[in-house]
Amino acid sequence: MGLLSNVVGFSLFGLMARMGQLGIQRRNPLENLGGHALSMAIFGGAGYYAYKWDIRAAELIAEKRVEIAARRQGQREGAEA
């Protein structure tokens, strides 16, 4: 469910950014629906890659913690000897 909510959240942010852009230009917000769809698709893709990046970063941090714990254990054993 995390991936879906991340992609939908980013795509809704893209829609709001597009609506804000047209509001600043004082144009009709429903003028070009293809532009809305494109903006939502781009931001949704960014949300997908942000989710994948977050998962990969968590894996790398977990691997690094295991590595640090093993190194500390080795230092403790070396100090006791």
Side-chain angles (χ1 to χ4, degrees), residues 29-65:
L30 300 176
E31 184 175 298
N32 184 6
L33 297 179
H36 295 331
L38 180 64
S39 179
M40 290 178 72
I42 290 171
F43 276 86
Y48 173 78
Y49 285 111
Y51 178 81
K52 292 296 185 180
W53 176 64
D54 188 38
I55 296 297
R56 181 65 182 141
E59 290 172 357
L60 289 173
I61 289 171
E63 290 173 6
K64 196 62 153 174
R65 284 184 178 162

Side-chain angles (χ1 to χ4, degrees), residues 7-24:
V7 170
V8 169
F10 269 79
S11 64
L12 287 177
F13 180 78
L15 177 64
M16 290 301 112
R18 176 73 176 154
M19 294 284 227
Q21 175 189 22
L22 292 176
I24 289 172

Side-chain angles (χ1 to χ4, degrees), residues 64-78:
K64 196 62 153 174
R65 284 184 178 162
V66 168
E67 182 183 320
I68 290 171
R71 192 179 308 142
R72 285 182 182 166
Q73 185 67 27
Q75 288 177 349
R76 286 185 196 138
E77 291 173 359

